[in-house]
Amino acid sequence: MTKTKLSVNINKIATLRNSRGGDVPNLLQVAKDVQGFGGEGITIHPRPDERHIRYQDAYDLKPVVYTEYNIEGNPIKKFMDLVLEIKPTQVTLVPDGDDVLTSNAGWDTIAHQAYLQEVIAEFKKSGIRTSIFIDTDKKLIEAAAKTGTDRIELYTENFASQYEKGNKEAVVPYKEAAILANELGLGVNAGHDLSLHNIQFFKENIPYLQEVSIGHALIAESIYLGIENVVNMYIQKLKG
């Protein structure tokens, strides 16, 4: 069975820090601690309005992240310049508009294929692993394989909302998408609304799952249970 890495999205730590205008909690210390507690990667998603992660944070985190460093975002010029300068382990391309509260759709890899090919080629020239945030539509996954991307990241909001209602069959399209991606030579990541409640079931049913990126739920759960405890709870559930 594929080992699935836990990458912790620390956007919400930055949101909390920014709410008071100071440096508490300290983002860099949290990143160090998360890795020390067993987290296998750090994810950030800077947005143009810098409402949580600031662009400067991305630079400041570079020498601190000794596991996998994943930077997510819409590949506008400012974002691309940032990533090409920092050279993280992975860049995850997300089609976010400036006005969205959180990521709410995957790429249309058919309509945007030429654009994605150009962007991905630029990142890969710098040795940065690429991933495309995508829905489970098989035609879109087939088109993703033509962009030159290394991986896809399955957008899991629908699975999470349906699982919460007791519909375990909602995992089936994700399983089929992961199998297809593997057949096409693509690695498989996943993220959005995954939590301690649903992560083990998801992991047990999705073959070839290499990495999950979890932020909002993990930080919220940590308020009650403690971040060290929660990071290790995820890691145990991902071993299944």
Side-chain angles (χ1 to χ4, degrees):
M1 184 176 289
T2 304
K3 180 183 183 336
T4 304
K5 292 184 177 181
L6 170 67
S7 186
V8 178
N9 185 320
I10 57 174
N11 279 15
K12 285 299 185 292
I13 299 297
T15 302
L16 185 59
R17 175 200 63 188
N18 295 353
S19 70
R20 288 293 295 267
D23 195 32
V24 177
N26 183 280
L27 193 76
L28 303 187
Q29 188 60 52
V30 171
K32 291 176 187 176
D33 290 340
V34 163
Q35 293 170 101
F37 298 153
E40 295 151 303
I42 297 293
T43 291
I44 60 170
H45 188 148
R47 288 184 165 88
D49 62 6
E50 299 187 291
R51 63 179 178 267
H52 35 64
I53 291 292
R54 300 168 183 149
Y55 273 62
Q56 186 58 49
D57 292 329
Y59 290 100
D60 294 342
L61 282 162
K62 172 65 174 177
V64 168
V65 180
Y66 57 85
T67 54
E68 292 200 357
Y69 191 12
N70 175 43
I71 303 182
E72 301 180 341
N74 194 332
I76 59 174
K77 185 179 186 306
K78 183 179 179 182
F79 178 84
M80 288 190 67
D81 289 346
L82 173 87
V83 173
L84 288 169
E85 187 171 350
I86 293 172
K87 292 183 173 60
T89 316
Q90 175 176 269
V91 58
T92 300
L93 307 180
V94 184
D96 278 348
D98 292 350
D99 57 342
V100 300
L101 183 63
T102 186
S103 305
N104 57 12
W107 282 97
D108 182 336
T109 51
I110 298 172
H112 298 108
Q113 186 165 121
Y115 171 63
L116 288 167
Q117 285 173 340
E118 182 180 340
V119 167
I120 287 166
E122 192 70 24
F123 287 132
K124 292 184 79 171
K125 273 196 301 187
S126 292
I128 304 167
R129 188 174 73 221
T130 57
S131 181
I132 296 176
F133 195 62
I134 197 168
D135 294 294
T136 57
D137 186 313
K138 292 181 180 179
K139 290 182 179 178
L140 296 181
I141 293 171
E142 289 169 351
K146 297 175 183 177
T147 66
T149 191
D150 299 297
R151 297 186 183 185
I152 57 169
E153 179 176 326
L154 295 172
Y155 171 40
T156 50
E157 181 181 16
N158 184 64
F159 158 74
S161 62
Q162 290 298 311
Y163 184 83
E164 189 66 28
K165 297 172 184 176
N167 179 16
K168 294 185 177 181
E169 291 301 305
V171 80
V172 172
Y174 295 88
K175 178 178 181 178
E176 293 175 349
I179 291 170
L180 175 60
N182 181 70
E183 290 172 351
L184 294 169
L186 299 173
V188 180
N189 297 342
H192 207 282
D193 288 348
L194 296 175
S195 68
L196 283 175
H197 176 61
N198 59 38
I199 190 64
Q200 186 169 353
F201 178 83
F202 189 78
K203 161 64 180 175
E204 288 172 349
N205 285 275
I206 306 300
Y208 315 114
L209 183 62
Q210 292 171 282
E211 177 184 295
V212 291
S213 174
I214 304 178
H216 182 81
L218 188 151
I219 301 304
E221 290 155 350
S222 296
I223 292 172
Y224 285 92
L225 302 172
I227 193 165
E228 180 176 9
N229 187 32
V230 167
V231 167
N232 279 280
M233 289 170 74
Y234 273 99
I235 290 169
Q236 288 302 313
K237 288 177 183 290
L238 287 167
K239 286 181 178 178

